Amino acid sequence: MKRFGVIPVLLALGLALPAGAVLAYEVPETIQIQRPEKNAALAQWVGPRVEFPHGFHAVRNACNKCHHKESDKDLGKFLSCTQCHSKDDPNDSTGFYLAWHNDSVHSCLGCHRKVRLEDAGKMPPLSCTNGCHKKQ
Ligand code: HEC
Ligand code: HEC
Ligand code: HEC
């Protein structure tokens, strides 16, 4: 049984590459980030998955802004975050919850908060249920 993982909905994104360039790796367009099956939900309103517009982010940021364990040499074999960040403890700095919610720019909420403070023109979501954990 698959304990955790991602469901890449649409593979291969239309990246704007110079003519003749070869896309050496795949960039999933949309990813459903799934809570590891055994992890307890932290709140009653949190559904089992969050839909993440991955391609939207990948064309605007360097890959290793989020994939912080990857280097150029790894292109093409990116590990999912959940492969390492799967622990249930919400206070564990390498657990599942904090990978998405800590203060660092590697995490969803950390980066969204920073962008809100520094770039008035951008409005990445901060709201739990209206932003990421939409009612399912
Ligand atoms: C804003 C953060 C962010 C950026 C930028 C980003 N990714 Fe991701 N990527 C993620 C997250 C989050 C996942 C889902 C991992 C999970 O669910 O465990 C993911 C998943 C993936 C996966 C699927 C991994 C698997 O096997 O499950 C690939 C491949 C990938 N990214 C490649 C890239 C490439 C290549 C780039 C740069 C062009 C990139 N990503 C940029 C956050 C990002
Ligand atoms: C190969 C295992 C591995 C993968 C894959 C991985 N991480 Fe991490 N992550 C760690 C470890 C170990 C730490 C503890 C600090 C360190 O060693 O960098 C960490 C720390 C973090 C932190 C807190 C500290 C910091 O530097 O920001 C965040 C947030 C984070 N990871 C998010 C992510 C996200 C998001 C992804 C996927 C896009 C990801 N991680 C992929 C192993 C991993
Ligand atoms: C490195 C910074 C960064 C990280 C990490 C990041 N985001 Fe974002 N996110 C942004 C920015 C910037 C925007 C665009 C805001 C704008 O242009 O108004 C955005 C927009 C979004 C949007 C709205 C997209 C739309 O169509 O308007 C969603 C949903 C989102 N992010 C979810 C996530 C999730 C889930 C994660 C973690 C898996 C994540 N983001 C990680 C920077 C980040």
Side-chain angles (χ1 to χ4, degrees), residues 27-75:
V27 184
E29 174 64 13
T30 309
I31 291 179
Q32 311 248 335
I33 299 176
Q34 195 120 4
R35 192 169 65 235
E37 242 168 62
K38 285 186 188 157
N39 285 27
L42 292 180
Q44 189 215 328
W45 46 263
V46 171
R49 65 191 79 85
V50 161
E51 189 162 305
F52 173 44
H54 180 266
F56 174 93
H57 289 76
V59 294
R60 288 168 174 80
N61 294 280
C63 308
N64 64 7
K65 192 126 185 196
C66 305
H67 295 275
H68 66 104
K69 292 289 188 193
E70 313 285 348
S71 73
D72 289 348
K73 282 185 251 141
D74 302 322
L75 284 179

Side-chain angles (χ1 to χ4, degrees), residues 2-9 28-37 39 46-55 57 66-67 79-83 85-86 95-101 106-109 112 132-134 136:
K2 213 168 169 234
R3 257 200 75 221
F4 60 81
V6 290
I7 307 166
V9 173
E29 174 64 13
T30 309
I31 291 179
Q32 311 248 335
I33 299 176
Q34 195 120 4
R35 192 169 65 235
E37 242 168 62
N39 285 27
V46 171
R49 65 191 79 85
V50 161
E51 189 162 305
F52 173 44
H54 180 266
H57 289 76
C66 305
H67 295 275
L79 294 173
S80 71
C81 319
T82 10
Q83 189 148 330
H85 295 280
S86 64
F96 182 74
Y97 175 79
L98 282 182
W100 322 114
H101 302 93
H106 299 137
S107 93
C108 318
L109 196 56
H112 285 190
C132 297
H133 303 274
K134 298 220 170 91
Q136 320 204 351

